[in-house]
């Protein structure tokens, strides 16, 4: 059990952020668990298997040496995002700028943890880790190159939908804060997280205490954290908790390209397909990527559906996010029940 002690000053500085790098790191654990270990992400695992041939084996071996199936993750691999939404390139720059001395300490700490690793190549990964321990300054560049290559193949193709799910969760948490204060917002983060007497308790395999100490608290929804909660307490940054977002089961649902001739006749094929896509809130650029259309073209369709009451929009930072209204849900549901002509 981790006891994270929070002061009133920390509560005043609670913030949320999404992190494509955290998703990238956490997804390596999902791969290690395999199709049966983390069945919720099974569609993604299957898709990655089809793409994996484009990734160099040495890059994947290096990342698997750094990110084990369970236990400690070196803090320099998961720097806290500076903003609510940041790019993978921004996060990778933070890794590049990590202090080699701290990197060496964290790698040595990881090497000292003899967590069981299953499957072929275990000894080789341990030897690779020992090499990095002795030359952390030379190891940062290969690490960032491997992360960039892996992210491009494993996460980037699905990032628009992952990001939409994460922002939907943040909106829910902020609504809970507005309705019931910090207690309500914290109470539903994760089944293994409880909040009472200004202490967050996170169920883990070890006992530990940490103080936020006025540094605030960063909450990071992370799809690939499921079913765990990832905790970072290293100073001087704010402690962070990465938890599974709500509605995770929707993430890998398939959206049919054809929504039925009746609905397409009324709305047009593009707008009908767009309506089906927006079960999660997306920005114009995210939806454009999913639909393979230009952002200006898609914006026209979004505005038309919004004017018809089928979509709603809200601002999240610098973005405007669109999602289906209850009317849009009903229309799509009824159209799906109609027999094809």
């Amino acid at each position: 059990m981790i006891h994270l002690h929070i002061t009133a000053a920390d509560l005043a500085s609670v913030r949320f952020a999404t992190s494509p790098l955290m998703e990238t790191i956490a997804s390596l654990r999902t791969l290690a668990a395999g199709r049966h270990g983390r069945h919720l992400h099974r569609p993604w695992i299957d898709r990655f298997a089809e793409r994996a041939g484009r990734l160099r084996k040495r890059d994947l071996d290096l990342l698997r040496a750094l990110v084990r199936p369970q236990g400690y993750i070196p803090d320099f691999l998961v720097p806290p995002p500076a903003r609510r939404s940041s790019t993978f390139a921004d996060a990778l720059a933070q890794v590049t700028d990590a202090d080699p001395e701290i990197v060496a300490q964290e790698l040595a700490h990881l090497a000292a943890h003899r967590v069981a690793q299953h499957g072929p190549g275990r000894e080789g990964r341990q030897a690779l880790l020992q090499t990095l321990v002795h030359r952390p300054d030379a190891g940062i560049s290969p690490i960032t190159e491997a992360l960039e290559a892996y992210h491009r193949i494993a996460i980037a193709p699905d990032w628009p939908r992952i990001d939409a799910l994460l922002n939907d969760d943040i909106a829910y948490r902020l609504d809970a804060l507005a309705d019931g204060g910090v207690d309500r917002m914290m109470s539903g983060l994760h089944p293994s997280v409880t909040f009472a007497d200004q202490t967050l308790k996170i169920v883990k395999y070890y006992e530990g205490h940490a103080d936020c100490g006025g540094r605030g608290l960063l909450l990071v929804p992370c799809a690939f954290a499921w079913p765990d909660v990832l905790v970072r307490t290293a100073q001087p940054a704010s402690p962070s908790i990465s938890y599974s977002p709500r509605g995770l089961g929707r993430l890998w649902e398939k959206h049919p390209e054809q929504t039925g001739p009746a609905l397409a006749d009324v709305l047009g094929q593009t707008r009908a397909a767009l309506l089906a896509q927006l079960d999660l809130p997306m920005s114009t650029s995210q939806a454009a990527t999913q639909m393979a259309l230009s952002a200006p073209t898609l914006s026209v369709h979004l505005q038309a559906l919004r004017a018809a009451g089928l979509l709603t929009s809200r601002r999240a930072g610098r973005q405007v996010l669109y999602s289906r209204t209850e009317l849009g849900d009903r229309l799509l549901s009824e159209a799906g029940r109609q027999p094809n002509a």
Side-chain angles (χ1 to χ4, degrees):
M1 178 85 72
I2 295 178
H3 301 76
L4 189 56
H5 305 291
I6 301 172
T7 66
D10 296 314
L11 290 177
S13 300
V14 172
R15 65 184 182 93
F16 286 89
T18 60
S19 172
L21 178 58
M22 176 61 79
E23 293 290 355
T24 302
I25 295 297
S27 72
L28 288 160
R29 287 192 161 178
T30 298
L31 280 183
R35 297 170 76 247
H36 301 292
R38 302 202 172 186
H39 58 85
L40 192 63
H41 292 303
R42 185 168 167 177
W44 172 82
I45 293 173
D46 291 341
R47 287 211 293 275
F48 175 77
E50 297 172 359
R51 308 168 187 156
R54 290 179 277 159
L55 186 66
R56 294 183 301 185
K57 181 178 181 299
R58 65 184 181 185
D59 286 337
L60 194 54
D61 285 345
L62 173 59
L63 296 179
R64 283 177 164 165
L66 293 169
V67 183
R68 294 174 172 179
Q70 58 184 351
Y72 174 69
I73 296 176
D75 289 316
F76 78 89
L77 289 176
V78 284
R83 301 182 300 277
R84 173 171 169 169
S85 296
S86 59
T87 67
F88 180 77
D90 289 338
L92 206 59
Q94 289 179 274
V95 178
T96 300
D97 291 340
D99 184 339
E101 206 171 299
I102 293 176
V103 172
Q105 293 172 2
E106 293 179 357
L107 291 176
H109 184 65
L110 177 65
H113 280 66
R114 297 291 177 176
V115 178
Q117 298 189 64
H118 303 288
R122 177 177 56 185
E123 293 80 6
R125 289 194 292 271
Q126 189 64 26
L128 184 56
L129 178 58
Q130 289 294 344
T131 301
L132 291 176
V133 169
H134 298 305
R135 289 295 308 278
D137 55 334
I140 284 291
S141 180
I143 288 171
T144 55
E145 289 174 6
L147 280 170
E148 185 173 26
Y150 173 75
H151 174 83
R152 183 172 62 252
I153 291 168
I155 302 300
D158 297 307
W159 177 247
R161 188 157 177 83
I162 294 171
D163 192 36
L165 180 71
L166 304 182
N167 278 290
D168 192 40
D169 179 86
I170 291 175
Y172 173 83
R173 306 296 172 189
L174 294 178
D175 284 345
L177 175 65
D179 289 341
V182 173
D183 283 344
R184 180 176 294 183
M185 182 186 72
M186 296 287 198
S187 65
L189 280 180
H190 191 276
S192 61
V193 177
T194 57
F195 179 64
D197 300 324
Q198 291 189 290
T199 300
L200 269 173
K201 297 180 181 179
I202 305 103
V203 176
K204 287 288 182 180
Y205 61 92
Y206 63 93
E207 191 75 14
H209 290 261
D211 292 307
C212 288
R215 292 177 288 157
L217 177 65
L218 177 62
L219 300 173
V220 184
C222 177
F224 286 103
W226 182 89
D228 302 321
V229 175
L230 306 179
V231 182
R232 186 186 190 280
T233 59
Q235 297 192 25
S238 302
S240 67
I241 295 177
S242 297
Y243 62 92
S244 309
R246 295 174 69 255
L248 189 55
R250 295 181 291 165
L251 183 56
W252 308 121
E253 288 179 352
K254 290 185 177 180
H255 296 274
E257 293 183 6
Q258 302 297 325
T259 54
L263 188 59
D265 286 346
V266 174
L267 297 179
Q269 189 62 54
T270 298
R271 290 178 185 177
L274 179 58
L275 188 66
Q277 186 68 50
L278 288 173
D279 61 320
L280 291 172
M282 293 188 183
S283 67
T284 301
S285 59
Q286 288 172 330
T289 300
Q290 295 290 93
M291 298 286 295
L293 294 171
S294 70
T297 297
L298 197 73
S299 180
V300 173
H301 295 303
L302 288 170
Q303 295 305 323
L305 291 172
R306 183 176 178 274
L310 302 178
L311 295 182
T312 186
S313 64
R314 59 176 173 78
R315 182 165 290 280
R318 298 179 181 178
Q319 295 181 321
V320 176
L321 303 180
Y322 295 87
S323 59
R324 284 201 307 260
T325 61
E326 184 179 346
L327 176 60
D329 287 339
R330 291 204 310 269
L331 180 62
L332 202 63
S333 177
E334 289 298 324
R337 295 194 186 103
Q338 298 302 316
N340 291 332

